Amino acid sequence: MIMGVKMWVGGCLVAAVAAAGAAWFTTAPETGTTHAVCGPDLGRDDVVAARSRAVAVVEAVENTRYREDGGSAYLTTRVKTLEAFKGEFGDVLEVTQGVKNGGSPGRYATEDPDRYAVLEPGRRYVIAVQSGSTTGAAGTEAWAWYAEPAERGLVGEREHWQEAIATPPETAASSACEDIDAPAG
């Protein structure tokens, strides 16, 4: 009889612990995730200038190609160079940038439109090129990792970017990683 009581009490304790654990699991708030973001701070023009192979003001002429590949989407735009500030630029060249999946002509978007604007035909932008060819030779294209509307006018952009190019960043313009906490959702 004592053995039966011990088994019954032990079984109840196990059941109570299991119930409490299940209740906590179903009512506990989601904590989100932490992931690393690597790359330079493209919110600082001195870093953009220091880490880019080429910087120029361009006018977008035509979106020539949209493609999705491996979960990513890319938009290629023919641009006309208005003024190069760093590096060599051909008169006209193809520039590719990453965009959100599911785009259609005139309806492309990026994750950070303030520092990575979608190049729209007829508008002027400051672009910074990380890789690829800026010569404009047939069959070549450049990878723009930074694009923002040229809102200062050509003279204002020239002055601003010449200063950014001439002034190295105070902190290292490295591609170090930092942890970002993403909310649950």
Side-chain angles (χ1 to χ4, degrees):
M1 174 89 173
I2 292 184
M3 183 66 140
V5 171
K6 286 182 180 179
M7 294 279 288
W8 186 80
V9 170
C12 288
L13 285 173
V14 169
V17 169
W24 178 83
F25 181 76
T26 58
T27 61
E30 293 183 32
T31 58
T33 60
T34 299
H35 61 276
V37 173
C38 302
D41 180 1
L42 298 182
R44 295 180 40 204
D45 292 344
D46 59 336
V47 173
V48 171
R51 294 296 306 261
S52 299
R53 281 190 330 107
V55 179
V57 172
V58 300
E59 182 175 324
V61 176
E62 174 186 18
N63 296 130
T64 58
R65 183 178 65 208
Y66 170 82
R67 66 183 168 83
E68 293 185 23
D69 183 22
S72 297
Y74 306 95
L75 178 65
T76 301
T77 305
R78 182 174 300 115
V79 300
K80 177 173 59 172
T81 303
L82 301 178
E83 186 167 349
F85 304 131
K86 179 179 180 182
E88 298 291 324
F89 279 82
D91 293 336
V92 176
L93 62 139
E94 300 284 322
V95 175
T96 298
Q97 65 182 145
V99 294
K100 290 183 180 179
N101 287 359
S104 60
R107 304 233 187 260
Y108 304 105
T110 65
E111 295 296 330
D112 184 6
D114 293 332
R115 292 296 180 178
Y116 199 54
V118 175
L119 302 179
E120 297 177 23
R123 299 196 57 208
R124 292 179 175 191
Y125 299 89
V126 174
I127 63 167
V129 173
Q130 185 181 35
S131 61
S133 174
T134 57
T135 66
T140 66
E141 59 189 54
W143 175 259
W145 69 328
Y146 172 92
E148 76 171 5
E151 296 175 341
R152 297 177 188 97
L154 199 52
V155 172
E157 294 295 356
R158 177 185 315 119
E159 291 170 358
H160 175 80
W161 286 98
Q162 284 176 343
E163 181 179 333
I165 291 166
T167 309
E170 289 180 23
T171 58
S174 70
S175 58
C177 298
E178 61 181 275
D179 289 339
I180 302 295
D181 290 323

